Amino acid sequence: MSDGEDDAERNQSPAGVHLPVPPECCGGLNNVDYSKMDLKLLEDFLNLINFDDSFCVAVIAIIFNPLFWNVVARWEHRTRRLSRLFGSPYLACYCLAFVIILLNVYRSHSMTVAMKAQARWEVMDVMVVFYAGVALMVLGTVLVVSSFLALGFTGTFLGDYFGILMDEKMTGFPFNILENPMYWGSTANYLGLALIGASPVGLVLTVIVAVAYKVALRFEGHGQYYKY
């Protein structure tokens, strides 16, 4: 049987009715005329973002924070210098936690300044987006607070690097529904803040926060220590 007869036979139902030949999937995107795509929404979004000093300061704060606490905590785990300096691993952990809290407050402040300094986006400036932002902030706060209550102070602020080990890995809420709920709760808070403020630059900064946390987790995942 020839190739043409094979194709004809494959395109027939058992009843002998010819079926339409589906278009080839390969090269489908090559057939799209991108010049006819409406990119106005994306252009409007990008035009509202100003890479000014406030934006750069916020980006630096976002990237610096997890870099700082990971470098310091891993250095402490190798050398125990902070524990010897403060005379106690608990006191050293509390001092590092105080610095981390200050850095996080400054990060939030710098992101808020950047969002207020730049234009709102009318597409986001609607009630449904506002209430979605409120819902995200409530969810994020629940995740952050419940994580803190489950881990305790030293468990939250890298106590395992100071030799302050937890009895076991957390498996209750919110760790039973999401890995690293404190980080993603914090990200949800920033996303909610951006939506409430109808801030396109807030969306960009939130993405940078998520990426910074994702990179940090690649290092922190190898530093979790428990007593068992």
Side-chain angles (χ1 to χ4, degrees):
M1 185 179 292
S2 65
D3 293 340
E5 291 173 342
D6 289 341
D7 293 339
E9 183 176 340
R10 283 194 297 266
N11 293 330
Q12 290 182 0
S13 68
V17 178
H18 288 274
L19 300 175
V21 179
E24 294 184 3
C25 62
C26 299
L29 293 178
N30 294 330
N31 296 326
V32 177
D33 187 354
Y34 294 100
S35 63
K36 295 182 179 180
M37 294 180 64
D38 186 4
L39 301 177
K40 185 178 184 305
L41 197 64
L42 179 60
E43 291 174 357
D44 291 344
F45 177 85
L46 294 177
N47 288 335
L48 290 172
I49 299 175
N50 182 14
F51 299 99
D52 58 5
D53 290 345
S54 63
F55 176 85
C56 294
V57 169
V59 171
I60 292 172
I62 290 169
I63 295 174
F64 176 79
N65 284 16
L67 176 65
F68 168 80
W69 70 60
N70 271 286
V71 169
V72 173
R74 296 174 82 85
W75 173 70
E76 164 64 16
H77 180 66
R78 290 195 306 269
T79 66
R80 292 290 186 259
R81 292 287 181 84
L82 291 178
S83 295
R84 290 199 293 268
L85 175 65
F86 289 98
S88 165
Y90 284 90
L91 182 57
C93 181
Y94 295 152
C95 290
L96 177 61
F98 179 72
V99 175
I100 291 174
I101 291 171
L102 290 180
L103 288 173
N104 286 341
V105 169
Y106 181 75
R107 176 184 61 184
S108 298
H109 170 73
S110 64
M111 291 179 66
T112 302
V113 169
M115 284 188 269
K116 288 183 176 180
Q118 301 203 25
R120 297 166 67 92
W121 193 19
E122 60 181 11
V123 174
M124 297 172 60
D125 203 2
V126 294
M127 292 305 297
V128 64
V129 174
F130 176 86
Y131 285 120
V134 172
L136 280 170
M137 292 200 71
V138 170
L139 173 63
T141 301
V142 169
L143 291 174
V144 170
V145 172
S146 59
S147 298
F148 178 81
L149 294 176
L151 292 170
F153 192 89
T154 56
T156 298
F157 292 102
L158 305 169
D160 50 346
Y161 289 90
F162 292 81
I164 307 170
L165 305 181
M166 301 182 66
D167 292 329
E168 58 183 0
K169 185 175 182 179
M170 293 293 101
T171 56
F173 182 84
F175 297 91
N176 58 347
I177 63 170
L178 182 69
E179 290 188 5
N180 309 298
M182 182 164 287
Y183 279 174
W184 302 128
S186 176
T187 304
N189 282 335
Y190 288 126
L191 178 57
L193 186 63
L195 295 181
I196 290 172
S199 173
V201 73
L203 296 180
V204 174
L205 292 174
T206 300
V207 170
I208 297 174
V209 169
V211 172
Y213 279 156
K214 194 69 176 177
V215 172
L217 287 170
R218 293 182 64 87
F219 294 94
E220 293 179 16
H222 300 289
Q224 302 297 316
Y225 303 98
Y226 307 95
K227 289 182 180 178
Y228 62 80

